Amino acid sequence: MAERRMLSKSLLMDNKFLTLSNDSKSLYLYLLMFADDDGIVKRSIMIDSVLNATDNNYSELEEKGLIIAISGNDEIRVITNWNGIETIREKLYSPTIYLNVRSRLYLKTDFSYTLNKNDPSVFSSADKWINDGRPKNIKDFKPLIQQHLKEVQYMDGTSTVQVQDMDGTSASPDQNRSDQYRLDQSRTDQDSKDQISQEKINSANMQLSSSNGGMGENASSVDSSNSSKDHNATSESGRDTGLPSGADTGVNNDTTNNSQDKDVKIMIGYIDQVFNLELSESNQRIALLLETILNKYEEKYVKDAIDDLEDDYSGVNEQQLTSLLVNHLEDYIYKEK
C-alpha cells in the first residue's frame, strides 16, 4: 500500500463531503489514506480509537454514497469514487489482497464503483477493467456497456436487463438476445478450435512438401483410405504424427506442441478434480489461458493458485469458473510466488 495519497480541492468542496458531520469527515479522510490501490480498506481498531468513530459514522458515509459496505463482511469498505480521486501509475500499482471483494465490484462510466451489475451506466466489471490496464481515455462507452450486458446475460443464464440493438434504436427480446449470445459464443469457440486444427494440418503439409524437395504430392491430396491409415502412423516416441509413414515429421516442433497440449490437458483434468466439474472440450478460453499461463509459471504455482481459487469460490459452474480463471488465476499465482 502506498505511503502517500492525493486529495483534490474538488473532493473537499463536494456537497456530499461538506454535509457530513465533522467526525465522519475525519473518518472519510482516514479511510482514503489507508485504502489499498484498488480503494478497498479494512476497518481498523486504530482508526476507530483515534477518531472515536462509531457505526453511525460509517453509516453516514454509506448513506452519502461515499463508501460501499460489503454484505457478509462488516470489516471491509470500498471507496466509491476511488478511481476519480486517486491516479496511480501502472508501475506503482499493487492489486488488492481482497480479490473476492473486488470481484463483486463494477465500474460506472464516471469510474466509480457499484455492486449493481445491472446499473445502466456500468460498462465493465472491476476485475476486467483493472486487468485491461485501468484505462481512463475511453471516448465511447456504448459498445462497452452493450458487451457488459451480454456478459451479464450469459453468466446469469437469464436476462435481467434490456438490451438494445447496436444502433440504440430498438429493443430486442432479452431472452432471445441471451440465447443468441450463447449460440454466437459456441460458434466462436468452435471456429477457434477448427482454425487451430487447420493450422496444424497446414503446418504438417508444409513439412511433407519440404521433405520431398518441394516436388512431392501434398498431404491433403492423399485419398481418404490412405489418410485414415496414415493418421494412425506413429513416430519412434509412439505419438500420433498425423503424417504418412516415412515423411519428415518435424519431431522437435511436434514434440514441443504435443508436450504443451499434454500439459494443458493435465491441468484441465486437475481443475476438474479440484472443482468437481467436467469442463467442456470446446472451452477454448480455458485451454488458451492455461497454455499461456504454463509458459510463464511453474506448474506447482498454477496448481496452488487453483487450490486457493477453489477455497474462495467453491460450487461454481463452468461459466462462472471460466470467468474466475480468466480474471483471477494470474493474480492468485502472483500471491503464491
Side-chain angles (χ1 to χ4, degrees):
M1 185 176 70
E3 291 295 321
R4 296 179 178 87
R5 294 299 185 198
M6 296 180 63
L7 295 177
S8 65
K9 292 181 180 178
S10 60
L11 168 65
L12 300 179
M13 295 300 293
D14 184 87
N15 287 337
K16 290 182 179 179
F17 181 79
L18 290 174
T19 54
L20 291 171
S21 64
N22 288 334
D23 289 342
S24 295
K25 286 177 183 175
S26 299
L27 175 59
Y28 185 58
L29 295 177
Y30 263 79
L31 293 179
L32 287 175
M33 285 298 301
F34 282 89
D36 61 30
D37 287 355
D38 286 322
I40 301 173
V41 59
K42 185 176 182 180
R43 184 170 178 175
S44 167
I45 296 176
M46 182 273 292
I47 294 177
D48 289 357
S49 298
V50 169
L51 301 177
N52 292 321
T54 66
D55 290 342
N56 289 336
N57 296 126
Y58 284 92
S59 295
E60 187 177 1
L61 294 178
E62 292 167 21
E63 291 170 1
K64 294 291 185 180
L66 295 173
I67 64 174
I68 298 173
I70 303 299
S71 61
N73 193 331
D74 293 335
E75 294 185 328
I76 300 299
R77 299 294 188 278
V78 179
I79 308 298
T80 306
N81 195 32
W82 175 259
N83 299 304
I85 297 172
E86 297 292 337
T87 299
I88 303 171
R89 287 180 291 175
E90 186 62 32
K91 65 179 181 179
L92 299 178
Y93 167 77
S94 180
T96 183
I97 62 173
Y98 304 109
L99 294 176
N100 59 329
V101 173
R102 197 180 76 183
S103 67
R104 298 168 62 178
L105 300 175
Y106 295 88
L107 263 292
K108 299 166 69 173
T109 53
D110 62 355
F111 299 100
S112 63
Y113 287 127
T114 180
L115 293 173
N116 182 11
K117 62 185 177 183
N118 295 321
D119 189 301
S121 62
V122 167
F123 71 91
S124 173
S125 67
D127 283 340
K128 185 177 185 301
W129 180 73
I130 290 169
N131 289 335
D132 287 344
R134 301 178 298 140
K136 288 188 177 180
N137 58 341
I138 302 172
K139 296 181 179 179
D140 186 4
F141 286 97
K142 289 182 180 179
L144 298 177
I145 292 174
Q146 289 294 314
Q147 181 61 32
H148 168 71
L149 295 181
K150 288 182 179 180
E151 291 174 356
V152 168
Q153 292 175 348
Y154 182 67
M155 291 297 294
D156 289 350
T158 57
S159 173
T160 57
V161 290
Q162 189 177 56
V163 182
Q164 291 185 329
D165 291 333
M166 289 304 293
D167 61 4
T169 58
S170 60
S172 302
D174 293 346
Q175 189 58 50
N176 290 342
R177 181 63 62 88
S178 179
D179 293 342
Q180 182 63 42
Y181 180 71
R182 290 194 190 90
L183 179 60
D184 291 343
Q185 184 67 31
S186 176
R187 288 173 178 171
T188 299
D189 291 342
Q190 185 61 44
D191 289 345
S192 177
K193 184 176 181 181
D194 291 343
Q195 182 180 358
I196 292 171
S197 299
Q198 186 60 47
E199 288 174 355
K200 289 182 179 179
I201 291 172
N202 292 341
S203 176
N205 290 341
M206 291 176 64
Q207 292 171 7
L208 177 59
S209 177
S210 175
S211 68
N212 290 333
M215 299 295 292
E217 188 177 14
N218 189 290
S220 63
S221 66
V222 181
D223 62 40
S224 59
S225 60
N226 288 337
S227 296
S228 176
K229 184 169 107 179
D230 292 338
H231 185 69
N232 293 325
T234 55
S235 65
E236 293 179 356
S237 64
R239 292 182 294 104
D240 183 1
T241 65
L243 291 173
S245 177
D248 183 1
T249 58
V251 172
N252 291 337
N253 187 49
D254 285 351
T255 300
T256 301
N257 290 338
N258 282 2
S259 176
Q260 290 176 345
D261 291 344
K262 181 179 179 182
D263 291 342
V264 169
K265 289 179 180 179
I266 291 175
M267 194 59 64
I268 288 177
Y270 185 76
I271 293 173
D272 284 343
Q273 179 182 354
V274 170
F275 283 89
N276 194 26
L277 289 172
E278 187 172 348
L279 296 176
S280 170
E281 293 183 0
S282 64
N283 195 323
Q284 292 297 314
R285 292 185 69 191
I286 290 182
L288 293 175
L289 170 68
L290 291 175
E291 183 176 345
T292 302
I293 289 294
L294 290 172
N295 282 332
K296 294 173 62 177
Y297 304 102
E298 295 181 22
E299 181 179 306
K300 63 178 181 179
Y301 293 125
V302 181
K303 286 186 174 181
D304 288 343
I306 291 170
D307 291 338
D308 289 345
L309 266 170
E310 196 279 332
D311 290 340
D312 292 339
Y313 301 98
S314 60
V316 296
N317 58 34
E318 180 171 348
Q319 294 174 355
Q320 295 167 333
L321 177 59
T322 300
S323 179
L324 285 172
L325 292 174
V326 170
N327 289 319
H328 293 313
L329 181 56
E330 194 157 9
D331 290 334
Y332 273 68
I333 294 174
Y334 181 80
K335 287 170 56 181
E336 289 296 330
K337 296 185 69 177

